[in-house]
């Protein structure tokens, strides 16, 4: 159990990866850990799309970068001080990771979004416990309605992308412990 808390305390977002691919069986194993997450009514409304084809990742990166260049999004990125980073011609939303895992959820299930994110967190922690790195792909989820994106990912009928993460072997040592503000806690007793 102590080891589990160590996994929680040391997981960080990884944005630099080696060229080493992640074995298919290892990715499968992470998904087996992901689906141990709780889900509303145990409906398990998730499906997993694993992309290791670099050509598909390149196309998705291009679509997301075009979207990030739109004026409304640029304004938001500027307000977060992120515009310079994402506008750099060498920036890839996938940080050259060898694998992308997209979790799509059944659109007719009202709590699928929560379920898919609980599964995603399981996957993050399981990956870290195995020495793999992950990064949530928020920019990719912003283009979930783009028909080309849906096509490239083969999102199942009736599903939509709800969470996404890259997975790979970290290129360097992990960053220090997560930087967190003390939690705001209101007690009602
Ligand atoms: C909903 C969500 C969206 C995110 N989107 C991105 C993203 O598109 N690109 C990226 O590099 N990091 C993304 N992140 C990673 C966060 O920046 C990161 O979790 C945060 O800075 C805290 O760092 P830590 O994960 O190392 O503790 C996202 C995280 C979450 C939870």
């Amino acid at each position: 159990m102590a080891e589990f808390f160590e996994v929680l305390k040391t997981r960080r977002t990884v944005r630099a990866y080696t060229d080493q691919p992640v074995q298919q069986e290892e990715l499968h194993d992470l998904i087996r850990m992901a689906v141990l997450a709780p889900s509303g009514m145990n409906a398990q409304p998730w499906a997993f799309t694993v992309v290791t084809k670099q050509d598909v990742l390149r196309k998705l990166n291009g679509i997301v970068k075009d979207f990030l260049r739109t004026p409304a999004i640029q304004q938001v990125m500027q307000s977060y001080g992120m515009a310079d980073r994402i506008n750099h011609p060498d920036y890839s939303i996938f940080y050259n990771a060898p694998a992308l895992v997209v979790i799509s959820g059944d659109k007719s299930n009202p709590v699928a979004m929560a379920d898919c994110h609980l599964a995603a967190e399981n996957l993050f922690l399981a990956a870290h416990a195995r020495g793999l790195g992950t990064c949530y792909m928020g920019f990719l989820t912003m283009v979930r309605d783009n028909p080309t994106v849906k096509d490239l990912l083969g999102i199942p009928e009736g599903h939509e992308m709800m969470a996404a993460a890259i997975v790979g072997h970290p290129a360097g040592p992990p960053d220090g412990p997560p930087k967190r503000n003390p939690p705001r806690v209101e007690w009602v007793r």
Side-chain angles (χ1 to χ4, degrees):
M1 208 40 105
E3 274 173 31
F4 172 72
F5 291 116
E6 211 40 43
V7 170
L8 276 187
K9 285 182 194 163
T10 56
R11 182 219 55 84
R12 295 300 310 274
T13 288
V14 173
R15 297 191 177 89
Y17 295 90
T18 69
D19 292 338
Q20 191 186 343
V22 182
Q23 297 306 314
Q24 195 169 313
E25 189 46 37
E26 214 168 355
L27 289 163
H28 225 123
D29 218 37
L30 296 183
I31 292 168
R32 284 187 206 109
M33 298 296 123
V35 301
L36 296 176
S39 64
M41 299 162 288
N42 200 20
Q44 306 165 58
W46 41 55
F48 297 81
T49 303
V50 184
V51 183
T52 55
K53 205 175 191 172
Q54 290 300 309
D55 185 46
V56 170
L57 295 179
R58 257 190 303 277
K59 284 181 184 150
L60 291 170
N61 183 50
I63 293 168
V64 173
K65 287 190 76 173
D66 284 348
F67 172 77
L68 293 176
R69 279 189 210 105
T70 54
I73 301 296
Q74 282 286 311
Q75 212 174 350
V76 177
M77 292 302 147
Q78 250 142 29
S79 69
Y80 282 97
M82 290 184 57
D84 285 350
R85 179 153 67 117
I86 62 162
N87 291 337
H88 195 282
D90 293 341
Y91 178 71
S92 162
I93 65 157
F94 299 121
Y95 306 106
N96 304 315
L100 166 72
V101 179
V102 171
I103 309 179
S104 60
D106 180 345
K107 284 195 279 186
S108 70
N109 182 316
V111 293
M113 184 62 89
D115 297 336
C116 290
H117 282 87
L118 289 166
E121 178 67 354
N122 265 23
L123 188 144
F124 287 0
L125 295 174
H128 178 51
R130 283 174 161 264
L132 293 166
T134 55
C135 177
Y136 189 100
M137 290 288 96
F139 292 147
L140 180 64
T141 63
M142 291 178 197
V143 296
R144 59 164 61 85
D145 293 330
N146 180 308
T148 312
V149 170
K150 287 193 219 176
D151 239 39
L152 283 167
L153 291 172
I155 299 294
E157 194 55 38
H159 276 228
E160 74 180 357
M161 185 195 320
M162 299 211 170
I166 45 172
V167 183
H169 294 271
D175 289 342
K179 298 170 190 71
R180 297 292 187 264
N181 304 323
R184 176 176 165 173
V185 183
E186 311 289 344
W187 296 92
V188 179
R189 29 182 186 199

